[in-house]
Amino acid sequence: HPRFDPYERLLYNKFADWRFYVDGLVERPAAFSLNDLKRMPSRTQITQLNCEEGWSFIAAWTGVPLSHILQMVGVQPAAKWVLFYPFDDFWGSIDMPEALHPQTLLAYGMNGEDLSPDHGAPLRLRIPRQLGYKNLKFLARISVTDRLDNVGDGNGSAAPGLGYSWYAGI
């Protein structure tokens, strides 16, 4: 897990002060606590996380469908992408059809327990239709946008800079 403040401080306090921010091309920017997310409609799905580097595992992931959050904040018609910003430097994005897919979760639980730091606490993205590196851990914020060329190196995520493709469909 990220070994720096503010993550370490939030972890120490069991994420009581953590907020998940949603901004960009939305009608109602918002910040949600972990308890807020846990009170929203949730789903549990047993899916396999496939890593491009050769390991995989099956788990029961519990969380809020990303589509629910996007509906709550009112995505503007020009929106095409959702950017994900974790506490570490490995940011990413997905297109709106993937964001709205019913299996795309903001997961706060795994196998009936809260996520551990090793698995991305307090919140991670779970996209069963894409390889592991798209399933970002330690989420702090998402931003809805109509373009990716003005973010980071313009490639839509940190993955291409490390030799991975932006799209990681399986």
Side-chain angles (χ1 to χ4, degrees):
H1 68 270
R3 305 234 182 249
F4 53 82
D5 195 43
Y7 187 84
E8 288 281 334
R9 182 173 31 85
L10 291 166
L11 175 62
Y12 179 79
N13 289 319
K14 299 183 175 141
F15 301 104
D17 298 326
W18 171 84
R19 296 297 178 269
F20 180 62
Y21 296 92
V22 182
D23 62 24
L25 295 178
V26 298
E27 299 298 327
R28 296 169 296 281
F32 303 103
S33 70
L34 192 53
N35 284 334
D36 291 338
L37 294 173
K38 288 180 176 183
R39 284 192 294 269
M40 292 179 189
S42 68
R43 63 178 293 168
T44 297
Q45 57 194 25
I46 298 172
T47 55
Q48 181 166 317
L49 185 94
N50 294 295
C51 178
E52 188 163 292
E53 295 180 1
W55 60 267
S56 300
F57 65 92
I58 296 172
W61 301 96
T62 300
V64 179
L66 178 55
S67 61
H68 179 78
I69 297 288
L70 296 175
Q71 182 181 25
M72 284 182 68
V73 298
V75 172
Q76 295 177 7
K80 295 180 184 174
W81 315 96
V82 179
L83 291 157
F84 296 87
Y85 296 102
F87 281 97
D88 60 19
D89 294 330
F90 200 74
W91 65 280
S93 67
I94 57 175
D95 61 22
M96 201 53 69
E98 194 74 64
L100 296 174
H101 191 278
Q103 285 188 310
T104 301
L105 289 184
L106 295 173
Y108 50 74
M110 186 179 102
N111 296 332
E113 298 181 6
D114 287 346
L115 278 181
S116 69
D118 288 342
H119 292 287
L123 190 70
R124 76 173 294 157
L125 178 63
R126 271 301 289 130
I127 313 172
R129 301 170 0 130
Q130 296 211 19
L131 291 171
Y133 66 85
K134 291 295 275 193
N135 292 258
L136 298 176
K137 298 177 177 182
F138 321 114
L139 292 180
R141 177 177 151 242
I142 61 175
S143 188
V144 178
T145 186
D146 60 350
R147 53 190 289 202
L148 297 175
D149 62 339
N150 62 343
V151 182
D153 60 8
N155 288 319
S157 80
L162 300 172
Y164 299 104
S165 65
W166 173 82
Y167 181 74
I170 52 177

